[in-house]
Amino acid sequence: MAELNTLEQWYYDVPIVTRVWTTAAVLTSVLVQCQIVTPFQLFYSPASVWQKRQYWRLGTTFLYFGPLSLDFMFHIFFMSRYSRNLEESSFRGRTADFAWLIMYSAASLLILSPIASMPFLGSPLSFSLVYIWARRNPAVRLSFLGLFVFSAPYLPWVLLGFSLLLNNTLPKDDLLGIVVGHVYYFFSDIYPRIRNGSRPLDPPAIWRRMFAAAAPPPPEAPAARAE
């Protein structure tokens, strides 16, 4: 019972956006494993979405990381770790802004997907978050498989090179994630310094109001007792 309570506490300690994405990704792979749905019903296909009106593909393409396996567990761990790190650091207390980052990255990848022929977009989406986290934490030192130590900004390129060595081909989906992440990083961290604080990729006011309305009200302070 204590172990279940600890697991539940850990689960609810994960920030809301990362928690929802990770849970949906695990459930999607479980449904595929149980043969309730198939990967052919999940990938992004412009023809299927816009001609056959299978609009769910706009979301499920970001949720399927492959069948339940060691590779799946690696991708889920990698995705949830850096998504959580980013949500708890740069976007702490700013759920609306982090959700907008996910929305921007997802929309960008959907637009670019037909050019690069990428049916599943979960990996490049998580790679864009890794890139942003790495650029915003230049002082963090990381170790790769215990072989060498490097600064966080090199993390996306180390992972890209490792994937190239393993598969003997350039991982264009992860490279596209880096491009999408860099565009966001440029307009959120560099552009405001050269354009008097202008932040063109910030969420609109209506988006922030929507999240503010959904947030639970702060707890009321206990009333003072009369002596």
Side-chain angles (χ1 to χ4, degrees):
M1 184 62 69
E3 289 79 3
L4 288 177
N5 290 337
T6 302
L7 182 61
E8 182 181 8
Q9 183 62 43
W10 171 84
Y11 178 76
Y12 284 106
D13 282 344
V14 177
I16 182 63
V17 177
T18 301
R19 189 196 321 154
V20 169
W21 185 17
T22 304
T23 302
V26 172
L27 289 177
T28 299
S29 286
V30 169
L31 291 175
V32 172
Q33 191 74 20
C34 295
Q35 299 183 355
I36 297 174
V37 298
T38 71
F40 297 103
Q41 297 172 294
L42 304 175
F43 71 87
Y44 175 61
S45 163
S48 297
V49 171
W50 307 117
Q51 296 176 17
K52 298 181 181 179
R53 300 182 180 180
Q54 297 177 354
Y55 299 122
W56 67 82
R57 294 178 184 269
L58 294 171
T60 56
T61 183
F62 298 102
L63 301 179
Y64 186 61
F65 288 83
L68 297 178
S69 62
L70 187 60
D71 184 65
F72 165 80
M73 295 302 296
F74 171 77
H75 277 91
I76 288 295
F77 171 78
F78 183 79
M79 175 268 286
S80 61
R81 176 183 180 181
Y82 286 101
S83 177
R84 178 177 183 172
N85 286 349
L86 192 60
E87 190 172 359
E88 287 182 335
S89 56
S90 298
F91 293 90
R92 188 176 187 86
R94 298 191 296 134
T95 300
D97 292 70
F98 188 69
W100 184 257
L101 164 59
I102 299 290
M103 183 70 68
Y104 148 77
S105 301
S108 301
L109 290 168
L110 287 171
I111 293 171
L112 297 171
S113 173
I115 301 174
S117 301
M118 297 184 305
F120 290 106
L121 300 172
S123 180
L125 177 58
S126 62
F127 224 83
S128 66
L129 301 183
V130 169
Y131 180 87
I132 296 169
W133 175 86
R135 292 300 300 267
R136 288 185 170 181
N137 293 272
V140 175
R141 303 286 289 174
L142 302 171
S143 173
F144 182 73
L145 302 178
L147 299 177
F148 59 92
V149 177
F150 57 93
S151 300
Y154 292 103
L155 175 62
W157 307 107
V158 170
L159 294 174
L160 205 66
F162 183 65
S163 180
L164 177 61
L165 287 175
L166 283 182
N167 303 309
N168 200 29
T169 181
L170 185 67
K172 58 184 178 181
D173 52 347
D174 293 341
L175 189 60
L176 203 58
I178 288 178
V179 172
V180 170
H182 181 72
V183 171
Y184 182 89
Y185 172 76
F186 174 80
F187 282 107
S188 295
D189 293 58
I190 299 175
Y191 190 80
R193 296 200 296 264
I194 60 178
R195 291 296 180 182
N196 299 319
S198 175
R199 305 176 67 90
L201 289 186
D202 273 8
I206 189 172
W207 179 269
R208 287 203 169 104
R209 285 197 299 268
M210 181 175 65
F211 277 81
E220 295 183 1
R225 292 191 309 171
E227 295 294 338

